[in-house]
Amino acid sequence: SLSLKSETCQLHPRHILSDWCEVCQRLVCDQCKEMGHCQHRILPCQEAAKAKIEQLTMALAAFPFISGAGDTAVATDATEVARTLSVVQEQAERASENVTNLFSKLRKTLDHNEDEALNRIGELRRATEQKLREQRSRLQLSKTSCSTVLRIARTLLQTPPSSACDVLRLADYLIMAAKEVKQTRMVDTVPCCQ
């Protein structure tokens, strides 16, 4: 049983606050009940106090960390949260390492592919330059051959050959030089990059 200290009503100083108005949520005296709270639900203070203690006990049960047993629950929850946070941090670090390793591998692959492409381009450039040098050589030879053929033809036209053998030899030489010029020109028409 609860022992409540008796208080006097401020509005009616001769009366003791002995009841509880459920509607207004305040202590009232006999005079207050008759004047302003006659339609309200009124409980004796002892009964209202027991009801409030029950409500408070139920409300506190919803918060286990307020009671002594709840302290271990809170500590367990805090430990579990810390453990989960640690696991998440480890997973994040592993994911970061994996991404870094993946980018490193990709960078190496790209560097390797770039090196191979540059080497291939260098090889093609060197091969093309070599073919161009060979064609220039052939063109020089062709130009020289044409000049020689022209010089011999002029010589023949200016001074008649002394014998039929000289004519045949010069004619063979001119035919051979003409074939060489023709062959050189055919080679020059072939694309240099095959």
Side-chain angles (χ1 to χ4, degrees):
S1 147
L2 288 172
S3 62
L4 295 175
K5 181 176 142 187
S6 299
E7 292 184 31
T8 57
C9 181
Q10 289 182 352
L11 295 174
H12 311 104
R14 292 188 193 158
H15 297 275
I16 296 174
L17 296 170
S18 58
D19 297 310
W20 177 259
C21 175
E22 284 284 313
V23 176
C24 298
Q25 294 288 301
R26 57 175 274 191
L27 291 168
V28 291
C29 67
D30 291 336
Q31 200 68 28
C32 291
K33 282 194 294 189
E34 291 174 12
M35 296 176 83
H37 302 272
C38 60
Q39 300 293 323
H40 297 172
R41 183 168 183 243
I42 305 293
L43 295 174
C45 280
Q46 290 279 5
E47 192 179 318
K50 284 181 186 177
K52 288 290 180 191
I53 289 172
E54 285 177 20
Q55 286 177 354
L56 181 60
T57 303
M58 288 180 9
L60 291 176
F63 300 98
F65 57 88
I66 293 175
S67 68
D71 292 344
T72 55
V74 168
T76 302
D77 288 347
T79 304
E80 190 61 33
V81 166
R83 205 174 300 136
T84 303
L85 181 61
S86 175
V87 168
V88 168
Q89 286 174 335
E90 287 175 18
Q91 289 174 345
E93 287 172 9
R94 271 188 260 130
S96 176
E97 287 175 18
N98 288 342
V99 168
T100 302
N101 290 339
L102 180 63
F103 275 113
S104 178
K105 287 177 184 177
L106 287 173
R107 188 175 300 118
K108 286 178 184 176
T109 301
L110 287 173
D111 289 346
H112 176 74
N113 289 348
E114 180 185 23
D115 290 344
E116 282 185 351
L118 289 173
N119 287 338
R120 181 72 180 131
I121 289 169
E123 289 170 7
L124 288 172
R125 182 181 52 83
R126 286 187 291 279
T128 302
E129 287 172 351
Q130 180 62 32
K131 287 182 182 182
L132 287 173
R133 279 193 294 275
E134 288 171 5
Q135 286 182 355
R136 185 173 32 176
S137 245
R138 279 192 221 99
L139 287 173
Q140 287 291 343
L141 182 62
S142 174
K143 182 179 174 186
T144 304
S145 296
C146 287
S147 297
T148 304
V149 169
L150 285 173
R151 189 172 38 82
I152 292 171
R154 282 189 196 124
T155 305
L156 282 174
L157 292 174
Q158 290 172 0
T159 56
S162 57
S163 69
C165 288
D166 286 342
V167 171
L168 289 173
R169 263 185 269 160
L170 287 173
D172 276 346
Y173 181 76
L174 288 173
I175 291 169
M176 187 176 69
K179 283 182 182 178
E180 189 178 311
V181 169
K182 184 177 179 184
Q183 186 178 9
T184 304
R185 287 200 176 147
M186 286 176 62
V187 170
D188 291 341
T189 61
V190 177
C192 63
C193 299
Q194 295 177 344

PDB file of all heavy atoms in Angstrom, residues 147-183:
ATOM      1  N   SER A 147      68.484   6.582-119.826  1.00  0.00           N
ATOM      2  CA  SER A 147      69.524   7.502-120.305  1.00  0.00           C
ATOM      3  C   SER A 147      70.526   6.764-121.189  1.00  0.00           C
ATOM      4  O   SER A 147      70.939   7.263-122.244  1.00  0.00           O
ATOM      5  CB  SER A 147      70.273   8.134-119.129  1.00  0.00           C
ATOM      6  OG  SER A 147      69.396   8.905-118.370  1.00  0.00           O
ATOM      7  N   THR A 148      70.891   5.544-120.754  1.00  0.00           N
ATOM      8  CA  THR A 148      71.845   4.750-121.531  1.00  0.00           C
ATOM      9  C   THR A 148      71.244   4.377-122.884  1.00  0.00           C
ATOM     10  O   THR A 148      71.907   4.484-123.940  1.00  0.00           O
ATOM     11  CB  THR A 148      72.237   3.477-120.756  1.00  0.00           C
ATOM     12  OG1 THR A 148      72.745   3.852-119.483  1.00  0.00           O
ATOM     13  CG2 THR A 148      73.271   2.663-121.505  1.00  0.00           C
ATOM     14  N   VAL A 149      69.984   3.947-122.874  1.00  0.00           N
ATOM     15  CA  VAL A 149      69.318   3.570-124.124  1.00  0.00           C
ATOM     16  C   VAL A 149      69.268   4.773-125.058  1.00  0.00           C
ATOM     17  O   VAL A 149      69.555   4.666-126.267  1.00  0.00           O
ATOM     18  CB  VAL A 149      67.909   3.000-123.838  1.00  0.00           C
ATOM     19  CG1 VAL A 149      67.105   2.861-125.125  1.00  0.00           C
ATOM     20  CG2 VAL A 149      68.005   1.668-123.131  1.00  0.00           C
ATOM     21  N   LEU A 150      68.908   5.921-124.508  1.00  0.00           N
ATOM     22  CA  LEU A 150      68.838   7.133-125.339  1.00  0.00           C
ATOM     23  C   LEU A 150      70.215   7.510-125.889  1.00  0.00           C
ATOM     24  O   LEU A 150      70.353   7.889-127.061  1.00  0.00           O
ATOM     25  CB  LEU A 150      68.259   8.303-124.539  1.00  0.00           C
ATOM     26  CG  LEU A 150      66.762   8.258-124.290  1.00  0.00           C
ATOM     27  CD1 LEU A 150      66.346   9.384-123.348  1.00  0.00           C
ATOM     28  CD2 LEU A 150      65.989   8.399-125.598  1.00  0.00           C
ATOM     29  N   ARG A 151      71.218   7.406-125.043  1.00  0.00           N
ATOM     30  CA  ARG A 151      72.576   7.749-125.481  1.00  0.00           C
ATOM     31  C   ARG A 151      73.021   6.808-126.609  1.00  0.00           C
ATOM     32  O   ARG A 151      73.543   7.242-127.642  1.00  0.00           O
ATOM     33  CB  ARG A 151      73.543   7.650-124.298  1.00  0.00           C
ATOM     34  CG  ARG A 151      74.924   8.199-124.594  1.00  0.00           C
ATOM     35  CD  ARG A 151      75.824   8.279-123.370  1.00  0.00           C
ATOM     36  NE  ARG A 151      75.709   7.185-122.421  1.00  0.00           N
ATOM     37  CZ  ARG A 151      76.317   5.999-122.555  1.00  0.00           C
ATOM     38  NH1 ARG A 151      77.071   5.752-123.576  1.00  0.00           N
ATOM     39  NH2 ARG A 151      76.160   5.073-121.645  1.00  0.00           N
ATOM     40  N   ILE A 152      72.763   5.513-126.439  1.00  0.00           N
ATOM     41  CA  ILE A 152      73.161   4.548-127.473  1.00  0.00           C
ATOM     42  C   ILE A 152      72.367   4.801-128.762  1.00  0.00           C
ATOM     43  O   ILE A 152      72.921   4.772-129.870  1.00  0.00           O
ATOM     44  CB  ILE A 152      72.967   3.103-126.983  1.00  0.00           C
ATOM     45  CG1 ILE A 152      73.961   2.812-125.858  1.00  0.00           C
ATOM     46  CG2 ILE A 152      73.124   2.097-128.100  1.00  0.00           C
ATOM     47  CD1 ILE A 152      73.725   1.502-125.142  1.00  0.00           C
ATOM     48  N   ALA A 153      71.057   5.084-128.576  1.00  0.00           N
ATOM     49  CA  ALA A 153      70.233   5.338-129.774  1.00  0.00           C
ATOM     50  C   ALA A 153      70.734   6.574-130.504  1.00  0.00           C
ATOM     51  O   ALA A 153      70.814   6.586-131.738  1.00  0.00           O
ATOM     52  CB  ALA A 153      68.778   5.506-129.351  1.00  0.00           C
ATOM     53  N   ARG A 154      71.111   7.613-129.799  1.00  0.00           N
ATOM     54  CA  ARG A 154      71.640   8.824-130.434  1.00  0.00           C
ATOM     55  C   ARG A 154      72.968   8.520-131.148  1.00  0.00           C
ATOM     56  O   ARG A 154      73.212   8.991-132.267  1.00  0.00           O
ATOM     57  CB  ARG A 154      71.861   9.925-129.397  1.00  0.00           C
ATOM     58  CG  ARG A 154      70.607  10.600-128.995  1.00  0.00           C
ATOM     59  CD  ARG A 154      70.885  11.858-128.126  1.00  0.00           C
ATOM     60  NE  ARG A 154      69.657  12.247-127.463  1.00  0.00           N
ATOM     61  CZ  ARG A 154      69.481  12.397-126.183  1.00  0.00           C
ATOM     62  NH1 ARG A 154      70.483  12.218-125.356  1.00  0.00           N
ATOM     63  NH2 ARG A 154      68.322  12.739-125.701  1.00  0.00           N
ATOM     64  N   THR A 155      73.784   7.721-130.420  1.00  0.00           N
ATOM     65  CA  THR A 155      75.071   7.361-131.018  1.00  0.00           C
ATOM     66  C   THR A 155      74.849   6.605-132.327  1.00  0.00           C
ATOM     67  O   THR A 155      75.516   6.859-133.352  1.00  0.00           O
ATOM     68  CB  THR A 155      75.908   6.495-130.046  1.00  0.00           C
ATOM     69  OG1 THR A 155      76.048   7.183-128.836  1.00  0.00           O
ATOM     70  CG2 THR A 155      77.269   6.167-130.617  1.00  0.00           C
ATOM     71  N   LEU A 156      73.889   5.684-132.336  1.00  0.00           N
ATOM     72  CA  LEU A 156      73.609   4.917-133.541  1.00  0.00           C
ATOM     73  C   LEU A 156      73.119   5.819-134.666  1.00  0.00           C
ATOM     74  O   LEU A 156      73.473   5.624-135.834  1.00  0.00           O
ATOM     75  CB  LEU A 156      72.548   3.838-133.276  1.00  0.00           C
ATOM     76  CG  LEU A 156      73.032   2.570-132.563  1.00  0.00           C
ATOM     77  CD1 LEU A 156      71.840   1.683-132.251  1.00  0.00           C
ATOM     78  CD2 LEU A 156      74.013   1.816-133.456  1.00  0.00           C
ATOM     79  N   LEU A 157      72.292   6.778-134.257  1.00  0.00           N
ATOM     80  CA  LEU A 157      71.751   7.662-135.280  1.00  0.00           C
ATOM     81  C   LEU A 157      72.833   8.616-135.825  1.00  0.00           C
ATOM     82  O   LEU A 157      72.772   9.023-136.985  1.00  0.00           O
ATOM     83  CB  LEU A 157      70.571   8.466-134.735  1.00  0.00           C
ATOM     84  CG  LEU A 157      69.319   7.642-134.415  1.00  0.00           C
ATOM     85  CD1 LEU A 157      68.277   8.524-133.737  1.00  0.00           C
ATOM     86  CD2 LEU A 157      68.724   7.033-135.684  1.00  0.00           C
ATOM     87  N   GLN A 158      73.774   8.980-134.997  1.00  0.00           N
ATOM     88  CA  GLN A 158      74.805   9.927-135.435  1.00  0.00           C
ATOM     89  C   GLN A 158      75.918   9.228-136.223  1.00  0.00           C
ATOM     90  O   GLN A 158      76.413   9.771-137.221  1.00  0.00           O
ATOM     91  CB  GLN A 158      75.405  10.666-134.226  1.00  0.00           C
ATOM     92  CG  GLN A 158      74.435  11.627-133.590  1.00  0.00           C
ATOM     93  CD  GLN A 158      74.985  12.212-132.280  1.00  0.00           C
ATOM     94  OE1 GLN A 158      76.079  11.888-131.857  1.00  0.00           O
ATOM     95  NE2 GLN A 158      74.222  13.084-131.686  1.00  0.00           N
ATOM     96  N   THR A 159      76.357   8.069-135.750  1.00  0.00           N
ATOM     97  CA  THR A 159      77.432   7.355-136.448  1.00  0.00           C
ATOM     98  C   THR A 159      76.953   5.965-136.812  1.00  0.00           C
ATOM     99  O   THR A 159      76.612   5.179-135.922  1.00  0.00           O
ATOM    100  CB  THR A 159      78.688   7.223-135.556  1.00  0.00           C
ATOM    101  OG1 THR A 159      78.335   6.582-134.349  1.00  0.00           O
ATOM    102  CG2 THR A 159      79.317   8.559-135.312  1.00  0.00           C
ATOM    103  N   PRO A 160      76.895   5.665-138.048  1.00  0.00           N
ATOM    104  CA  PRO A 160      76.435   4.335-138.425  1.00  0.00           C
ATOM    105  C   PRO A 160      77.414   3.262-137.952  1.00  0.00           C
ATOM    106  O   PRO A 160      78.620   3.489-137.938  1.00  0.00           O
ATOM    107  CB  PRO A 160      76.379   4.387-139.947  1.00  0.00           C
ATOM    108  CG  PRO A 160      76.897   5.706-140.348  1.00  0.00           C
ATOM    109  CD  PRO A 160      77.221   6.492-139.158  1.00  0.00           C
ATOM    110  N   PRO A 161      76.895   2.094-137.535  1.00  0.00           N
ATOM    111  CA  PRO A 161      77.781   1.024-137.054  1.00  0.00           C
ATOM    112  C   PRO A 161      78.673   0.522-138.211  1.00  0.00           C
ATOM    113  O   PRO A 161      78.300   0.566-139.364  1.00  0.00           O
ATOM    114  CB  PRO A 161      76.813  -0.056-136.578  1.00  0.00           C
ATOM    115  CG  PRO A 161      75.483   0.299-137.115  1.00  0.00           C
ATOM    116  CD  PRO A 161      75.499   1.716-137.506  1.00  0.00           C
ATOM    117  N   SER A 162      79.840   0.018-137.819  1.00  0.00           N
ATOM    118  CA  SER A 162      80.815  -0.422-138.812  1.00  0.00           C
ATOM    119  C   SER A 162      80.500  -1.804-139.354  1.00  0.00           C
ATOM    120  O   SER A 162      80.869  -2.147-140.462  1.00  0.00           O
ATOM    121  CB  SER A 162      82.225  -0.385-138.233  1.00  0.00           C
ATOM    122  OG  SER A 162      82.271  -1.183-137.066  1.00  0.00           O
ATOM    123  N   SER A 163      79.793  -2.599-138.565  1.00  0.00           N
ATOM    124  CA  SER A 163      79.504  -3.942-139.068  1.00  0.00           C
ATOM    125  C   SER A 163      78.115  -4.370-138.609  1.00  0.00           C
ATOM    126  O   SER A 163      77.529  -3.794-137.715  1.00  0.00           O
ATOM    127  CB  SER A 163      80.545  -4.932-138.565  1.00  0.00           C
ATOM    128  OG  SER A 163      80.394  -5.108-137.164  1.00  0.00           O
ATOM    129  N   ALA A 164      77.651  -5.438-139.199  1.00  0.00           N
ATOM    130  CA  ALA A 164      76.340  -5.990-138.858  1.00  0.00           C
ATOM    131  C   ALA A 164      76.370  -6.551-137.452  1.00  0.00           C
ATOM    132  O   ALA A 164      75.380  -6.498-136.713  1.00  0.00           O
ATOM    133  CB  ALA A 164      75.942  -7.062-139.849  1.00  0.00           C
ATOM    134  N   CYS A 165      77.522  -7.065-137.031  1.00  0.00           N
ATOM    135  CA  CYS A 165      77.645  -7.595-135.658  1.00  0.00           C
ATOM    136  C   CYS A 165      77.460  -6.501-134.635  1.00  0.00           C
ATOM    137  O   CYS A 165      76.816  -6.707-133.610  1.00  0.00           O
ATOM    138  CB  CYS A 165      79.028  -8.234-135.468  1.00  0.00           C
ATOM    139  SG  CYS A 165      79.184  -9.795-136.356  1.00  0.00           S
ATOM    140  N   ASP A 166      78.015  -5.317-134.896  1.00  0.00           N
ATOM    141  CA  ASP A 166      77.840  -4.194-133.966  1.00  0.00           C
ATOM    142  C   ASP A 166      76.371  -3.819-133.869  1.00  0.00           C
ATOM    143  O   ASP A 166      75.853  -3.529-132.793  1.00  0.00           O
ATOM    144  CB  ASP A 166      78.650  -2.972-134.452  1.00  0.00           C
ATOM    145  CG  ASP A 166      80.157  -3.152-134.233  1.00  0.00           C
ATOM    146  OD1 ASP A 166      80.518  -4.039-133.415  1.00  0.00           O
ATOM    147  OD2 ASP A 166      80.913  -2.406-134.840  1.00  0.00           O
ATOM    148  N   VAL A 167      75.688  -3.833-135.004  1.00  0.00           N
ATOM    149  CA  VAL A 167      74.258  -3.485-135.015  1.00  0.00           C
ATOM    150  C   VAL A 167      73.483  -4.488-134.185  1.00  0.00           C
ATOM    151  O   VAL A 167      72.615  -4.132-133.388  1.00  0.00           O
ATOM    152  CB  VAL A 167      73.711  -3.432-136.470  1.00  0.00           C
ATOM    153  CG1 VAL A 167      72.204  -3.288-136.493  1.00  0.00           C
ATOM    154  CG2 VAL A 167      74.379  -2.313-137.225  1.00  0.00           C
ATOM    155  N   LEU A 168      73.786  -5.787-134.371  1.00  0.00           N
ATOM    156  CA  LEU A 168      73.074  -6.826-133.605  1.00  0.00           C
ATOM    157  C   LEU A 168      73.350  -6.702-132.102  1.00  0.00           C
ATOM    158  O   LEU A 168      72.437  -6.807-131.281  1.00  0.00           O
ATOM    159  CB  LEU A 168      73.464  -8.223-134.102  1.00  0.00           C
ATOM    160  CG  LEU A 168      72.934  -8.592-135.484  1.00  0.00           C
ATOM    161  CD1 LEU A 168      73.512  -9.920-135.936  1.00  0.00           C
ATOM    162  CD2 LEU A 168      71.413  -8.676-135.451  1.00  0.00           C
ATOM    163  N   ARG A 169      74.606  -6.473-131.741  1.00  0.00           N
ATOM    164  CA  ARG A 169      74.946  -6.322-130.321  1.00  0.00           C
ATOM    165  C   ARG A 169      74.238  -5.120-129.713  1.00  0.00           C
ATOM    166  O   ARG A 169      73.672  -5.198-128.633  1.00  0.00           O
ATOM    167  CB  ARG A 169      76.458  -6.167-130.152  1.00  0.00           C
ATOM    168  CG  ARG A 169      77.108  -7.483-129.810  1.00  0.00           C
ATOM    169  CD  ARG A 169      78.552  -7.293-129.528  1.00  0.00           C
ATOM    170  NE  ARG A 169      79.144  -7.495-130.839  1.00  0.00           N
ATOM    171  CZ  ARG A 169      80.316  -7.114-131.244  1.00  0.00           C
ATOM    172  NH1 ARG A 169      81.104  -6.496-130.434  1.00  0.00           N
ATOM    173  NH2 ARG A 169      80.744  -7.328-132.434  1.00  0.00           N
ATOM    174  N   LEU A 170      74.260  -3.998-130.416  1.00  0.00           N
ATOM    175  CA  LEU A 170      73.595  -2.790-129.913  1.00  0.00           C
ATOM    176  C   LEU A 170      72.084  -2.986-129.837  1.00  0.00           C
ATOM    177  O   LEU A 170      71.436  -2.564-128.884  1.00  0.00           O
ATOM    178  CB  LEU A 170      73.931  -1.590-130.811  1.00  0.00           C
ATOM    179  CG  LEU A 170      75.347  -1.047-130.669  1.00  0.00           C
ATOM    180  CD1 LEU A 170      75.598   0.027-131.728  1.00  0.00           C
ATOM    181  CD2 LEU A 170      75.568  -0.479-129.296  1.00  0.00           C
ATOM    182  N   ALA A 171      71.533  -3.664-130.813  1.00  0.00           N
ATOM    183  CA  ALA A 171      70.089  -3.925-130.813  1.00  0.00           C
ATOM    184  C   ALA A 171      69.723  -4.820-129.635  1.00  0.00           C
ATOM    185  O   ALA A 171      68.727  -4.575-128.932  1.00  0.00           O
ATOM    186  CB  ALA A 171      69.652  -4.552-132.125  1.00  0.00           C
ATOM    187  N   ASP A 172      70.510  -5.881-129.393  1.00  0.00           N
ATOM    188  CA  ASP A 172      70.258  -6.755-128.229  1.00  0.00           C
ATOM    189  C   ASP A 172      70.324  -5.960-126.928  1.00  0.00           C
ATOM    190  O   ASP A 172      69.498  -6.119-126.034  1.00  0.00           O
ATOM    191  CB  ASP A 172      71.291  -7.897-128.174  1.00  0.00           C
ATOM    192  CG  ASP A 172      70.912  -9.088-129.054  1.00  0.00           C
ATOM    193  OD1 ASP A 172      69.731  -9.126-129.476  1.00  0.00           O
ATOM    194  OD2 ASP A 172      71.763  -9.947-129.289  1.00  0.00           O
ATOM    195  N   TYR A 173      71.346  -5.091-126.837  1.00  0.00           N
ATOM    196  CA  TYR A 173      71.504  -4.291-125.631  1.00  0.00           C
ATOM    197  C   TYR A 173      70.313  -3.368-125.449  1.00  0.00           C
ATOM    198  O   TYR A 173      69.781  -3.233-124.352  1.00  0.00           O
ATOM    199  CB  TYR A 173      72.815  -3.496-125.695  1.00  0.00           C
ATOM    200  CG  TYR A 173      73.040  -2.674-124.455  1.00  0.00           C
ATOM    201  CD1 TYR A 173      73.451  -3.272-123.268  1.00  0.00           C
ATOM    202  CD2 TYR A 173      72.816  -1.298-124.453  1.00  0.00           C
ATOM    203  CE1 TYR A 173      73.635  -2.527-122.129  1.00  0.00           C
ATOM    204  CE2 TYR A 173      73.002  -0.543-123.316  1.00  0.00           C
ATOM    205  CZ  TYR A 173      73.410  -1.158-122.154  1.00  0.00           C
ATOM    206  OH  TYR A 173      73.590  -0.412-121.016  1.00  0.00           O
ATOM    207  N   LEU A 174      69.855  -2.747-126.529  1.00  0.00           N
ATOM    208  CA  LEU A 174      68.699  -1.846-126.442  1.00  0.00           C
ATOM    209  C   LEU A 174      67.436  -2.598-126.061  1.00  0.00           C
ATOM    210  O   LEU A 174      66.628  -2.132-125.244  1.00  0.00           O
ATOM    211  CB  LEU A 174      68.496  -1.106-127.772  1.00  0.00           C
ATOM    212  CG  LEU A 174      69.531  -0.027-128.096  1.00  0.00           C
ATOM    213  CD1 LEU A 174      69.309   0.499-129.513  1.00  0.00           C
ATOM    214  CD2 LEU A 174      69.436   1.103-127.089  1.00  0.00           C
ATOM    215  N   ILE A 175      67.249  -3.792-126.611  1.00  0.00           N
ATOM    216  CA  ILE A 175      66.063  -4.608-126.287  1.00  0.00           C
ATOM    217  C   ILE A 175      66.105  -5.007-124.816  1.00  0.00           C
ATOM    218  O   ILE A 175      65.110  -4.913-124.097  1.00  0.00           O
ATOM    219  CB  ILE A 175      65.970  -5.833-127.216  1.00  0.00           C
ATOM    220  CG1 ILE A 175      65.643  -5.379-128.638  1.00  0.00           C
ATOM    221  CG2 ILE A 175      64.938  -6.829-126.710  1.00  0.00           C
ATOM    222  CD1 ILE A 175      65.787  -6.471-129.686  1.00  0.00           C
ATOM    223  N   MET A 176      67.293  -5.423-124.343  1.00  0.00           N
ATOM    224  CA  MET A 176      67.430  -5.823-122.951  1.00  0.00           C
ATOM    225  C   MET A 176      67.187  -4.623-122.032  1.00  0.00           C
ATOM    226  O   MET A 176      66.487  -4.722-121.018  1.00  0.00           O
ATOM    227  CB  MET A 176      68.841  -6.383-122.715  1.00  0.00           C
ATOM    228  CG  MET A 176      69.015  -6.978-121.347  1.00  0.00           C
ATOM    229  SD  MET A 176      70.642  -7.735-121.155  1.00  0.00           S
ATOM    230  CE  MET A 176      71.687  -6.308-121.172  1.00  0.00           C
ATOM    231  N   ALA A 177      67.722  -3.474-122.378  1.00  0.00           N
ATOM    232  CA  ALA A 177      67.528  -2.269-121.573  1.00  0.00           C
ATOM    233  C   ALA A 177      66.061  -1.863-121.570  1.00  0.00           C
ATOM    234  O   ALA A 177      65.496  -1.474-120.536  1.00  0.00           O
ATOM    235  CB  ALA A 177      68.390  -1.140-122.094  1.00  0.00           C
ATOM    236  N   ALA A 178      65.390  -1.978-122.703  1.00  0.00           N
ATOM    237  CA  ALA A 178      63.965  -1.634-122.800  1.00  0.00           C
ATOM    238  C   ALA A 178      63.136  -2.575-121.935  1.00  0.00           C
ATOM    239  O   ALA A 178      62.197  -2.162-121.250  1.00  0.00           O
ATOM    240  CB  ALA A 178      63.500  -1.679-124.241  1.00  0.00           C
ATOM    241  N   LYS A 179      63.467  -3.901-121.943  1.00  0.00           N
ATOM    242  CA  LYS A 179      62.747  -4.859-121.096  1.00  0.00           C
ATOM    243  C   LYS A 179      62.945  -4.516-119.619  1.00  0.00           C
ATOM    244  O   LYS A 179      62.014  -4.599-118.822  1.00  0.00           O
ATOM    245  CB  LYS A 179      63.243  -6.286-121.378  1.00  0.00           C
ATOM    246  CG  LYS A 179      62.713  -6.881-122.640  1.00  0.00           C
ATOM    247  CD  LYS A 179      63.228  -8.297-122.801  1.00  0.00           C
ATOM    248  CE  LYS A 179      62.738  -8.918-124.098  1.00  0.00           C
ATOM    249  NZ  LYS A 179      63.267 -10.270-124.288  1.00  0.00           N
ATOM    250  N   GLU A 180      64.160  -4.141-119.274  1.00  0.00           N
ATOM    251  CA  GLU A 180      64.461  -3.792-117.877  1.00  0.00           C
ATOM    252  C   GLU A 180      63.672  -2.570-117.448  1.00  0.00           C
ATOM    253  O   GLU A 180      63.111  -2.527-116.362  1.00  0.00           O
ATOM    254  CB  GLU A 180      65.963  -3.531-117.729  1.00  0.00           C
ATOM    255  CG  GLU A 180      66.401  -3.387-116.289  1.00  0.00           C
ATOM    256  CD  GLU A 180      67.905  -3.188-116.181  1.00  0.00           C
ATOM    257  OE1 GLU A 180      68.670  -3.948-116.804  1.00  0.00           O
ATOM    258  OE2 GLU A 180      68.281  -2.250-115.471  1.00  0.00           O
ATOM    259  N   VAL A 181      63.606  -1.561-118.324  1.00  0.00           N
ATOM    260  CA  VAL A 181      62.828  -0.356-118.022  1.00  0.00           C
ATOM    261  C   VAL A 181      61.362  -0.723-117.847  1.00  0.00           C
ATOM    262  O   VAL A 181      60.695  -0.291-116.924  1.00  0.00           O
ATOM    263  CB  VAL A 181      63.012   0.713-119.121  1.00  0.00           C
ATOM    264  CG1 VAL A 181      62.014   1.842-118.963  1.00  0.00           C
ATOM    265  CG2 VAL A 181      64.440   1.239-119.093  1.00  0.00           C
ATOM    266  N   LYS A 182      60.842  -1.565-118.745  1.00  0.00           N
ATOM    267  CA  LYS A 182      59.448  -1.984-118.681  1.00  0.00           C
ATOM    268  C   LYS A 182      59.182  -2.748-117.388  1.00  0.00           C
ATOM    269  O   LYS A 182      58.198  -2.515-116.707  1.00  0.00           O
ATOM    270  CB  LYS A 182      59.099  -2.847-119.900  1.00  0.00           C
ATOM    271  CG  LYS A 182      57.655  -3.249-119.958  1.00  0.00           C
ATOM    272  CD  LYS A 182      57.391  -4.039-121.228  1.00  0.00           C
ATOM    273  CE  LYS A 182      55.931  -4.467-121.294  1.00  0.00           C
ATOM    274  NZ  LYS A 182      55.652  -5.306-122.432  1.00  0.00           N
ATOM    275  N   GLN A 183      60.082  -3.669-117.023  1.00  0.00           N
ATOM    276  CA  GLN A 183      59.912  -4.462-115.809  1.00  0.00           C
ATOM    277  C   GLN A 183      59.972  -3.549-114.569  1.00  0.00           C
ATOM    278  O   GLN A 183      59.199  -3.705-113.639  1.00  0.00           O
ATOM    279  CB  GLN A 183      61.011  -5.521-115.738  1.00  0.00           C
ATOM    280  CG  GLN A 183      60.818  -6.482-114.585  1.00  0.00           C
ATOM    281  CD  GLN A 183      61.896  -7.566-114.557  1.00  0.00           C
ATOM    282  OE1 GLN A 183      62.882  -7.504-115.302  1.00  0.00           O
ATOM    283  NE2 GLN A 183      61.703  -8.541-113.714  1.00  0.00           N
TER     284      GLN A 183
END
